[in-house]
Amino acid sequence: MTSASTAELGRRAQAMLDALAAITDEDGRITRLYLSPAHRRAVDLVARWMREAGMAVSIDPLGTVRGATPPGAPGPRANRRFLVGSHIDTVVDAGRYDGTLGVVAGILAMQEVAARGIRLPFGVDVLAFGDEEGVRFPTTLASSSAVAGTLKPADLTAADTDGITVRQALADFGLDPDRIADAAYSRDDVLGYLEVHIEQGPVLEIENLPLGVVTSIAGQSRFHVTVTGDAGHAGTVPMTMRRDALAASAEMMLAIEEVARAGRADQMVATVGRLSLEPGAVNVIPRRVSFTLDIRAESDAPRLAAIEEIRRRFRAVAERRNVGFLMDRYHDTPTTPCGEPIRGAFAAAVESLGLPVQALTSGAGHDGHAMHALCDIGMLFVRCRAGISHSPNEYAEASDMGLAVEALIRALTALAEAEGENR
Ligand code: HGY
Ligand code: MN
Ligand code: MN
């Protein structure tokens, strides 16, 4: 059987990513939010690719597209499966590689395994998740949590800014929100989860390496913060008598930045990504401000300590300025390790390509956070230009992507060989 070269695999990956990038709900930029019309079109395209790759395709109750290879070669694990995947939802004005590369790499890898006549001793499901970014709804990782069996019906009550709940959006998408339990795999059936993803950071480019093996995914906490003061006439209320919710929020945001900067040694980062205020008139003192806080660090203790320090500083600002505030945590994921045997299989695959094995942590969150509740996870990072992501300037070389597909194939065959020793 002819093997596609890594250059050919890279070309194929780039063409598929370009086709997905054309599917957006906003002209001129890539925006494909969970359960949106663009997500529906992307689901249909990915399902077609999986069928063309010879996989049995299904859409689960959370909208995850699943492509299943036939069971493995006869043996003790023929009916168990490795899961390979990532997400096809995006942020607003996104790049074309974040998430989609992991789905495309999975499809190309399985197509190539079949073309080479490789009989793995286990099955493989390729999964295209729809809610990794958590941009439309105040949830995140809903579709991979459902696969892992940790999503609760109450999680479907989260509503987007138009007041549409996840439950309603699932029904509008043609899915049955009462069947989320059907999305869950049984632990006994799953051998592990593998994800290929762009690094979204600068390390591989600095080290001049195309691939890296992930050791852990940074934990993250997300909050809605609401600050309440008094509206008032911009021309008549003296500065010393104001309860200005926006000025107070500005001081709180600088406190967030100070606390995060102090946590540099723990790779701490904190971001206020969304802000809204009321009433929003040029000559009215803002009465109410809402903003989001996303805080992460390489390990859990410093992140949790920083949250308490931020809460303490918010309290001091609120008292001094006589405003009220609420700090509502709506997402919290612990630091997630990438374990053996998958991490070792990715390392062996990278070495077999004649490349040094660069281990690195992930500051970005991934579906692996959720999948770790079900099984061991492993991630392979692909170099991306200047580490840029969540931006239309996101870019990965086709040759690096081709190496990643080949490394995924070799990681699965390494896991098969390891499997052979267990017979
Ligand atoms: O926010 C993250 O880290 C991921 O891209 N959703
Ligand atoms: Mn991603
Ligand atoms: Mn992302």
Side-chain angles (χ1 to χ4, degrees), residues 78-288:
N79 293 316
R80 299 182 70 192
R81 313 188 78 77
F82 274 101
L83 309 180
V84 175
S86 191
H87 60 96
I88 55 174
D89 64 316
T90 73
V91 294
V92 174
D93 195 9
R96 63 186 61 204
Y97 302 88
D98 175 3
T100 48
L101 173 57
V103 174
V104 163
I107 295 170
L108 287 172
M110 298 333 298
Q111 200 168 37
E112 192 59 18
V113 161
R116 294 180 190 177
I118 298 170
R119 273 301 317 263
L120 296 169
F122 41 71
V124 174
D125 280 5
V126 178
L127 305 177
F129 296 118
D131 178 39
E132 192 276 341
E133 295 294 0
V135 167
R136 176 178 177 188
F137 299 99
T139 61
T140 176
L141 306 177
S143 39
S144 40
S145 299
V147 163
T150 58
L151 186 72
K152 296 178 290 305
D155 296 331
L156 304 187
T157 58
D160 66 12
T161 47
D162 296 328
I164 299 172
T165 62
V166 177
R167 167 174 286 279
Q168 182 57 50
L170 287 169
D172 297 347
F173 205 76
L175 300 166
D176 180 352
D178 291 323
R179 303 190 52 170
I180 59 177
D182 295 355
Y185 280 83
S186 134
R187 273 176 172 283
D188 294 341
D189 297 341
V190 177
L191 292 164
Y193 172 70
L194 295 86
E195 181 166 352
V196 172
H197 202 289
I198 52 169
E199 179 197 344
Q200 299 176 301
V203 172
L204 291 176
E205 186 172 66
I206 292 166
E207 299 294 337
N208 193 24
L209 292 172
L211 304 177
V213 178
V214 181
T215 56
S216 68
I217 309 172
Q220 57 174 268
S221 305
R222 293 184 182 178
F223 295 83
H224 284 131
V225 181
T226 309
V227 181
T228 46
D230 276 339
H233 195 300
T236 57
V237 181
M239 293 307 284
T240 53
M241 293 175 65
R242 295 185 175 202
R243 298 180 65 231
D244 183 333
L246 185 58
S249 302
E251 200 172 339
M252 289 176 176
M253 290 175 210
L254 289 176
I256 289 169
E257 188 181 49
E258 243 175 68
V259 171
R261 282 174 185 273
R264 218 173 15 263
D266 298 305
Q267 294 191 22
M268 189 166 302
V269 287
T271 311
V272 175
R274 207 166 40 217
L275 178 138
S276 62
L277 63 83
E278 293 168 19
V282 63
N283 55 357
V284 180
I285 302 166
R287 168 182 61 242
R288 177 188 165 91

Side-chain angles (χ1 to χ4, degrees), residues 25 31-42 136 169 173:
D25 282 325
T31 299
R32 193 167 56 239
L33 305 187
Y34 184 38
L35 300 176
S36 63
H39 180 211
R40 173 83 261 177
R41 298 200 304 277
R136 176 178 177 188
F173 205 76

